[in-house]
Amino acid sequence: MTKFAEITGWGKCLPPAVMTNDDLATFLETSDEWIVSRTGISERRVSHVGTSELATVAARNALAAADLDPNELDLIIVGTCTADELIPNVASKVQQNIGSKNAAAFDLNAACSSFLYGMHVATQGIKTGAHKKVLLIGAERLTRILDWTKRESAVLFGDGAGAMVLEASDEEVGLLASHISCDADARDVLSLEFGSSFDRFNFDGIMQFDFVGQEIFKRAVKGMSAAVDNVFQQTGMTTDDIDALIPHQANKRLIDFLGKMCKVPSEKTVINIQNYGNTSSATLPIAFAEAADNGIIKPGDSIMSAVFGGGLTCGAGLIKWGQRVTPKRPNQMELPAGDKSALELIVPLHEATQKAWKNRGQ
């Protein structure tokens, strides 16, 4: 008998250090009005710990909400493009940290689309019977890889993590339909180049971040619209059947467009980009966790999600929430405070990048 993948736990982790637009304006030629009018972002978080620690806190919160022993997990997936190290993966560190002895563990990198890609994979694993209890995480420490001399991209991103527990269920809940794709012809409009083939001897301290905003926006609109239409065709549902929209948090204008396309009123569209910026793979699970905690998600709700990311990866999914919308155990664990402010964490990176560009002669 085919199983469904019910969302039984959810949680998030947001670093305590907050960087406002006014903070950015102290070392970049920008302003709060410039950033808000173009992106909808007012502030973002800056982490003092690595991606695996962010992921671990989010994971523990999700497990608490599900009241699940880590040893019951049989798979851990971490969506990220900012792993602490190339090898070993973040998922294995999370597994070690939470004491999960019986799970397989791997990372998935589809940039900002990683969490939905992971949900697609995990759901298929549960449907086929290959897995029963999956921990799915989206976690990023993007502030460590940005070129802090480029305001067009530096103002957009922040750090954070979110997680879900998916468990096999006979009820028709969870990710009921999904469509993922990739517009590889445009992969270069959103890319991060790290030296030459990770040659650390040639690396000069600059990670070249290419971000062609207008082209990304155009292709994101096209890709997400097509993915949403595909999901509606799979399910036979229409925009009238959608109770909430929880999209990737990349740009307020893009979220507004998607809401109009799905005919979901603003009060049913989850928007938190103003508080966190774009946390890439973490935006969806953070938004889901907050929507559940704030009572936006109701029992049995039908929720549409849509994402896009570097690659250009894209996708959409229709999620049917179960009957429980409250955690079984408290799931508000937080990171301990660091000893530096957001500015104290970022200004040295800005200065180092300036120096690296100067040495390169640009």
Side-chain angles (χ1 to χ4, degrees):
M1 181 179 179
T2 300
K3 295 287 186 178
F4 297 93
E6 182 175 6
I7 300 167
T8 61
W10 54 90
K12 66 183 188 296
C13 175
L14 294 161
V18 177
M19 175 168 281
T20 66
N21 292 342
D22 289 335
D23 289 333
L24 287 172
T26 63
F27 63 89
L28 284 177
E29 187 179 343
T30 190
S31 67
D32 178 67
E33 189 278 332
W34 190 91
I35 298 171
V36 172
S37 64
R38 287 164 175 78
T39 69
I41 300 168
S42 296
E43 57 189 38
R44 71 284 297 144
R45 302 297 179 94
V46 178
S47 182
H48 60 292
V49 300
T51 301
S52 60
E53 290 189 55
L54 294 169
T56 297
V57 173
R60 285 176 170 152
N61 281 329
L63 289 167
D67 195 18
L68 188 69
D69 186 323
N71 285 316
E72 294 184 58
L73 295 169
D74 52 36
L75 179 62
I76 300 170
I77 303 174
V78 175
T80 187
C81 56
T82 54
D84 300 330
E85 52 209 347
L86 285 176
I87 301 171
N89 59 27
V90 174
S92 63
K93 183 61 177 177
V94 173
Q95 181 187 27
Q96 182 184 58
N97 288 346
I98 65 176
S100 176
K101 302 294 185 181
N102 304 308
F106 69 88
D107 290 0
L108 185 159
N109 181 2
C112 299
S113 303
S114 295
F115 192 82
L116 186 64
Y117 265 54
M119 201 173 191
H120 175 90
V121 170
T123 298
Q124 296 307 313
I126 288 174
K127 282 187 173 181
T128 62
H131 298 283
K132 294 181 179 178
K133 298 183 181 184
V134 180
L135 174 62
L136 176 60
I137 305 165
E140 304 287 6
R141 195 185 182 192
L142 292 154
T143 59
R144 300 297 294 180
I145 66 171
L146 296 175
D147 181 344
W148 285 100
T149 66
K150 294 184 177 180
R151 70 172 182 174
E152 290 78 8
S153 53
V155 304
L156 300 176
F157 298 95
D159 302 334
M164 283 182 182
V165 173
L166 307 180
E167 297 188 56
S169 172
D170 293 326
E171 300 295 322
E172 191 174 356
V173 292
L175 185 66
L176 300 186
S178 56
H179 178 74
I180 57 176
S181 63
C182 184
D183 181 9
D185 288 341
R187 67 188 303 272
D188 293 333
V189 303
L190 178 53
S191 64
L192 178 72
E193 181 183 347
F194 183 88
S196 175
S197 301
F198 293 98
D199 185 345
R200 64 188 177 91
F201 298 105
N202 291 330
F203 181 55
D204 62 4
I206 301 172
M207 285 184 273
Q208 182 71 44
F209 190 53
D210 294 319
F211 189 91
V212 186
Q214 290 185 341
E215 186 67 15
I216 294 169
F217 189 95
K218 180 179 71 176
R219 290 181 180 264
V221 166
K222 180 181 178 181
M224 289 196 295
S225 299
V228 169
D229 287 342
N230 184 290
V231 170
F232 279 139
Q233 290 174 17
Q234 289 184 54
T235 60
M237 298 175 69
T238 69
T239 55
D240 294 335
D241 300 311
I242 301 302
D243 298 299
L245 174 66
I246 303 183
H248 172 44
Q249 308 287 310
N251 183 290
K252 177 63 163 54
R253 289 182 295 169
L254 188 57
I255 295 171
D256 290 342
F257 173 86
L258 191 63
K260 291 178 181 178
M261 185 190 74
C262 292
K263 297 181 181 178
V264 176
S266 58
E267 62 269 18
K268 288 188 176 183
T269 301
V270 175
I271 303 175
N272 61 14
I273 190 172
Q274 67 276 9
N275 299 323
Y276 312 127
N278 182 352
T279 56
S280 189
S281 68
T283 68
L284 272 194
I286 290 173
F288 267 93
E290 291 195 336
D293 292 340
N294 296 335
I296 295 172
I297 295 176
K298 303 293 192 298
D301 269 359
S302 293
I303 303 164
M304 180 64 76
S305 282
V307 296
F308 75 95
L312 287 170
T313 57
C314 197
L318 191 283
I319 296 103
K320 183 79 170 180
W321 201 266
Q323 292 303 305
R324 183 169 58 82
V325 294
T326 56
K328 288 187 175 180
R329 290 194 285 114
N331 68 334
Q332 301 300 315
M333 176 183 175
E334 297 180 349
L335 285 171
D339 59 359
K340 293 182 179 179
S341 68
L343 267 177
E344 289 171 332
L345 290 166
I346 294 303
V347 167
L349 297 178
H350 175 254
E351 292 174 347
T353 309
Q354 279 186 313
K355 182 178 179 180
W357 278 121
K358 184 177 181 180
N359 290 341
R360 188 183 281 192
Q362 295 186 28

